[in-house]
Amino acid sequence: MKAWLKFSPEMVNKAVITDLIKNYDVSFNILRADINPKGGKMLIEINGSEAEKGIEYIEKAGIDVSPVKRVVKKDTDLCIDCGACVSICPVKAIVVEEDWTVDVNDTECVGCKLCTYSCPTKAIKVVE
Amino acid sequence: MKTIEEINQRIKDGDAVVVTAAEMTQIVNENGVDKAANDIDVVTTGTFGAMCSSGAFLNFGHTDPPIKMTKTYLNGVEAYSGIAAVDSYIGATQPSRIPEIGIDYGGAHVIEDLIRGKDIELIASSYGTDCYPLTELKTHINIENLNEAIMVNPRNCYQNYAAAINTTDETIYTYMGTLLPNMGNVSFSSAGALSPLLNDPYFQTIGMGTKIFMCGAEGYVIGEGTQHNTEVQRKNGVPVNGAGTLMLKGDMKQMDPEYVRGATMPKYGSTLYVGLGIPIPILNNDIAQRTAISDEDIVCQIMDYGTPKRSKPVVIESNYKQLRSGSVEIDGVEIETSPLSSYKKALEIALELKSWINKGDFLLTNPVKLLKSEGSSPRPLSIRRQTVLVNEIKSKPLITANPTDDIRDVAKRMVQNSINHLPVVDADQKLLGIVTSWDIANAVAKGKNMLKDVMTKKVVIAREDEPVDVIARRIDKHEISGLPIISKNNRVMGMITAEDISRLMCARNLKDGV
Ligand code: SF4
Ligand code: SF4
C-alpha cells in the first residue's frame, strides 16, 4: 500500500523507520520525501507479510499515517490516445495496450502529476 | 497496370479490393508484390497528429448596417481579417488575447468548438467607410449560420519527422511535447508505415485534386504544402527526416469532432490534431511495393531539441518499429519513447476510409498535377541584423570571490564596484557558485560568515559562443538577473546581466531605426 507519513518536529530525529525495517518483514520504498527541522512528510510504499503490523508500530511511535487515496483519472472523451504521457511517467503507470489505447494504472501511480502537465488535451487528472 | 477509372468502376460495382497500409505490408510479404499489385486496388493510410500549420477561412455574412471588419476575435482569439469585409482566417496556433488564458485556448480550440456546433463569440472592429459605416460589433456565431467554414491547412501531413530528445539537464517544453532532462525520454510523431506520404514516397499518385479523408469529411489535396522538401536523404526509398508536405482543403461543416481536436503543447502553444487518410490506388507493381513498407524499414533520426538552433544534432538513428516498442537504447541505456500522434486513431482512420470506399461512397480522383518529387527544398530565413554572441558584448571587468572569503569583505567589494552578482571560483577560475546582493543581506541577517555557506551552487550559465537572444530567453525563464560567462575550458570569463542585454537591444534598435 501507499501512504503519506507525517512527522512532527520531535519525530524527525528518531529512528522509527530504521526500527520498522529491522523488526518487521516489510519491503519499504520511499517515493517522495520532504523533511526539514520543522517536521515533514514522506510518501512511502510498504509491502510484505507484516506491512499492517509495521504500520501499527509507526503509528504508535507517533507518526501520522494517511493511506493515499489519490487516484489518477483519464477522461476518455478528451483523451486522444496519443501517448505523450507514457514516457513522462516515472513509474511506468501509463501503458499502451495491445489495441493502442493508452491506459493508466491506478495502483502504480504515485500522484506526481507529471502526466497532467504534459497532456495536450488536459485529459488526465490526479484527484485526492 | 490499372487506371483510376478502372478502379472506380470496381468500387461502383462493389468489387474493389481495399486494404489498409498495415494489411498491405503483410499481404506483400506473404504473396509477393506481383500478386499483391494484381489483387489489391486501393491501400488506405491514416494519421492523427498535431499539425500546427492549420486554420480555416470563415465567412460571417454582412450585417445591416454593414461593417468592413479589420480586427476580429473569436472567443477572444484573433483571426486575420485583412481579406475583404467579412472573411477571416483563424490560425490554429494563435493564442487567446486574454493573458490568463493564452495558449490554453487558441485558434485550434476555436476550430474544434465550431466543428462541435458550439456558439462562438465574435467581436469585430473597423475604421468605417461610406459603404461600410459600422465600426464595431459583438455577436455570436456558430457553424450553422456561417456562410462558409473552409479549413485550409498550408502545411500538413509531414512525410516522416525527426524524433526529439533533450540532452540538457533541465526539462524543456517543445512542439514535440515535454522532454525530460538528461535524455529522459524520446518523443516521436509520425504514424510510420501507416502515414500517407510514406506510402507514396515519390508522389506517383498524390497531387492537386487528390480526394482524401480529412477530419471525418471529404477533403482535397490542393498542392504541395509550404516547406515541401524533396531533397532529404532517403533510406529504403523513404526520407529519414521531415520532407514532403501537403496543402489541404476541406469543408468544416461536414467534419466530425472525433477526427479533429484542439490541443495545447504545454508551455509551447496551441495546435490542431488533424485526422487524415489518403487512398493510394495500386496502379502498378512499384506503387504496390512502396505501400508495403514496414515500420522497421522507415528510419527516423532522433535529434537533440536541447539545442535551440535551426539545425539540431542527430543523436542516433532509429526506426518506427523500435520507437513504437516503448523504448530505444542509447549508449547502453534504455530510454522510454512516447508517440505524440495517436496510432489508434490513425488505424481507425485507415479503416474508416476503407469502409467508405467499400460502401461505394468514396471514389478516387485523378490528380490534375502530381506533387513535386524533386527540386524543392526550403531555404532558411537570414536575418539582416546579425546575432550578437555573448563574447561580443562589452561586460564590466571581471570580479570574483573565493569560497572562503569573509561575507563582509565580499559585501564591500560588491558595493565598491556597484555589482549585484559575484561568481565564486576556485584557484583555476573554475565556477563553484554564485552570490547575489540578496544572498549577502540574507547571510548578514542570519549571522553567517563564510561565503561558501550562502552561495548558490546550482548556477545557470552562459557560454561564450551563445547568441545573446538565447541568453535573454534563459534569463526570462529562470527569473534571474545575471549569469556568469563560461569559456570552452570552463573558466569564468565575466558576467552578463539583464541590463547588458537591454542596453544592447536599445542600441541595436536605435541603429536600425525601429
Ligand atoms: S501522476 Fe505521475 S505517477 Fe501517476 S500516472 Fe501521472 S506521471 Fe505517472
Ligand atoms: S497525453 Fe493525454 S491525450 Fe495523450 S494519451 Fe495521455 S492522457 Fe491521452
Side-chain angles (χ1 to χ4, degrees), chain A residues 77-89 92 99-101 117-122, chain B residues 48 104 178 180 185-186 261 263-264 266 273 324 336-345 347:
Chain A
D77 285 340
L78 289 178
C79 173
I80 52 175
D81 296 295
C82 65
C85 51
V86 175
S87 69
I88 298 290
C89 176
K92 301 198 181 173
D99 69 346
W100 306 104
T101 305
Y117 300 130
S118 307
C119 170
T121 61
K122 302 196 172 60
Chain B
F48 187 81
D104 283 337
T178 306
L180 301 174
N185 65 341
V186 168
R261 201 63 78 79
T264 300
Y273 271 81
R324 216 174 287 291
E336 281 198 67
T337 58
S338 268
L340 206 56
S341 70
S342 173
Y343 195 71
K344 188 181 179 199
K345 289 233 179 240
L347 266 173

Side-chain angles (χ1 to χ4, degrees), chain B residues 66-85:
Chain B
I67 179 170
K68 178 176 180 288
M69 302 176 184
T70 51
K71 281 232 175 259
T72 49
Y73 295 92
L74 295 160
N75 279 355
V77 182
E78 183 166 16
Y80 178 72
S81 34
I83 355 173

